[in-house]
Structures are given as structure tokens and as C-alpha cells.
């Protein structure tokens, strides 16, 4: 084999080897891209796949009494019914957990959205199958809900269901011998069996 043939053969062998390496690298990149970094298919472009976490809200719209501001919201369901709490706390297990207000719905209550229910006693509307309490951050209190109304725009009674509505409550402060009355109105929106910090105003 002469010098030209040897050089040409070596060049072609080297060129073939480089092309082979490039081809193998391209195949490897295509295979890795198809795996998607762990398998599974990816969402089509333009589709938001960010999971929506349950969230609760409680907004005081009128307060003649002067309630303290809630920092934590929770809801739960048990054999005793559904309970929604607006509280002062940093977590569900905060040892200093203090309830500001709460809405209790009796177990098995049949609530119809858009129907106005009466709070307290003696209201003209159907009686609310539950109670609205105002503890205002105290372990116990003599604040009683004596009247007003509550209604729901959305209602479900299973874990994960959203319950929304508003109330206009008349309370009597029996801590004061004069027993003054006040009106407190609020809107609420909660997911059963969820909890977390109260959203920023």
C-alpha cells in the first residue's frame, strides 16, 4: 500500500469513527428527550397543569363589635358535623390556638343553596341547622348569637367539597350587665377538611 492510499484509508477510518460517535450521541439525546426525565407524557403546550390547592377564606364585611383579626382558617368533618374556624394560630396544632369565630353545621344537615336561614331563635326564615359562634380569641365567652340570617351559594358535605356563603349575625354580649347587641356580617368560602393561613387582605 502506497503512502497516498494509507493516508486516505486512515483519514476515511478516522472520519467514519467520528461520524459514528456523532450518530450515537444524537440517538442517545433523542432517547433521553423522549423519556421526559422520568417517564410519562407531558402536557400539551398552553395547558396549565399546576395543581390547585384547596383554600379557605373568611372576610368580615361589617363589624359593630370589634373582633380580633383571624390569622388561620380550618375546616373539618366528624360525627359531630362540619366545623369551620377562623382563629389566631400558626398551625392546626398550635398550642395557643384561639378561635375568633366558628360556623358549625349539624351532621346530616340538609342545606339548600340560595335559601335564607335564620340565626338565633324566632326568625321568620327556616332555622339554620347549626350555629355561628363568636369567641373572639377567648377560651369561653358569653357572646350569644340571638338573630340574623345565613345563606349559602354553594354547599357540599363531603371531604373536598366547597362551602360558600355569607351571614349577618346579631350578637348579644352577656359579659356586660347591660347586654348590648351588635351586628357582624361576613362572607366565607371553605373546603371541607382543609386548613392553612388566612389569606392576606
Amino acid at each position: 500500500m502506497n503512502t497516498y492510499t494509507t493516508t486516505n484509508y486512515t483519514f476515511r477510518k478516522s472520519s467514519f469513527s467520528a461520524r459514528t460517535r456523532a450518530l450515537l450521541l444524537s440517538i442517545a439525546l433523542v432517547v433521553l428527550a423522549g423519556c421526559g426525565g422520568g417517564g410519562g407524557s407531558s402536557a400539551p403546550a398552553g395547558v396549565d397543569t399546576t395543581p390547585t390547592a384547596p383554600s379557605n377564606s373568611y372576610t368580615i364585611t361589617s363589624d359593630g363589635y370589634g373582633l380580633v383579626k383571624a390569622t388561620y382558617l380550618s375546616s373539618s368533618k366528624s360525627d359531630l358535623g362540619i366545623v369551620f374556624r377562623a382563629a389566631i394560630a400558626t398551625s392546626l396544632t398550635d398550642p395557643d390556638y384561639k378561635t375568633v369565630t366558628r360556623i358549625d353545621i349539624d351532621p346530616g344537615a340538609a342545606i339548600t343553596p340560595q335559601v335564607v336561614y335564620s340565626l338565633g331563635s324566632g326568625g321568620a326564615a327556616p332555622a339554620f341547622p347549626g350555629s355561628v359562634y363568636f369567641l373572639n380569641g377567648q377560651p369561653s365567652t358569653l357572646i350569644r348569637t340571638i338573630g340574623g340570617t345565613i345563606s349559602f351559594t354553594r354547599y357540599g358535605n363531603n371531604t373536598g367539597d366547597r362551602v360558600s356563603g355569607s351571614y349577618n349575625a346579631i350578637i348579644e354580649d352577656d359579659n356586660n350587665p347591660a347586654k348590648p347587641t351588635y351586628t357582624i356580617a361576613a362572607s366565607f368560602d371553605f373546603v371541607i377538611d382543609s386548613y392553612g393561613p388566612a389569606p392576606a387582605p
Side-chain angles (χ1 to χ4, degrees):
M1 192 180 288
N2 61 31
T3 304
Y4 171 78
T5 305
T6 303
T7 303
N8 192 31
Y9 172 79
T10 303
F11 173 78
R12 281 183 291 154
K13 182 177 178 183
S14 172
S15 177
F16 173 78
S17 179
R19 286 195 307 267
T20 303
R21 283 196 303 271
L23 178 62
L24 290 175
L25 179 59
S26 297
I27 292 171
L29 289 174
V30 169
V31 169
L32 286 176
C35 289
S41 60
S42 59
V47 176
D48 183 4
T49 59
T50 306
T52 303
S55 61
N56 300 321
S57 67
Y58 178 73
T59 305
I60 300 289
T61 55
S62 175
D63 181 6
Y65 180 78
L67 294 173
V68 295
K69 180 175 172 49
T71 60
Y72 198 81
L73 305 175
S74 67
S75 67
S76 61
K77 181 181 179 182
S78 69
D79 293 341
L80 301 176
I82 298 168
V83 178
F84 175 61
R85 290 182 178 89
I88 301 167
T90 56
S91 70
L92 200 59
T93 57
D94 187 339
D96 293 324
Y97 193 105
K98 297 179 177 70
T99 300
V100 177
T101 65
R102 62 184 268 179
I103 301 170
D104 289 17
I105 302 173
D106 295 341
I111 289 179
T112 304
Q114 312 306 332
V115 170
V116 176
Y117 295 94
S118 62
L119 298 173
S121 58
F128 172 53
S131 301
V132 179
Y133 297 101
F134 298 90
L135 296 173
N136 204 30
Q138 303 300 316
S140 63
T141 182
L142 294 177
I143 300 173
R144 299 188 305 120
T145 302
I146 61 170
T149 59
I150 186 170
S151 61
F152 297 80
T153 56
R154 184 165 33 185
Y155 181 76
N157 58 12
N158 296 312
T159 296
D161 286 348
R162 188 173 290 279
V163 178
S164 308
S166 61
Y167 65 76
N168 191 319
I170 301 169
I171 63 171
E172 180 179 80
D173 187 0
D174 290 353
N175 295 295
N176 184 329
K179 298 187 176 184
T181 60
Y182 307 92
T183 300
I184 299 173
S187 62
F188 54 85
D189 182 18
F190 62 91
V191 176
I192 297 174
D193 283 326
S194 66
Y195 52 86

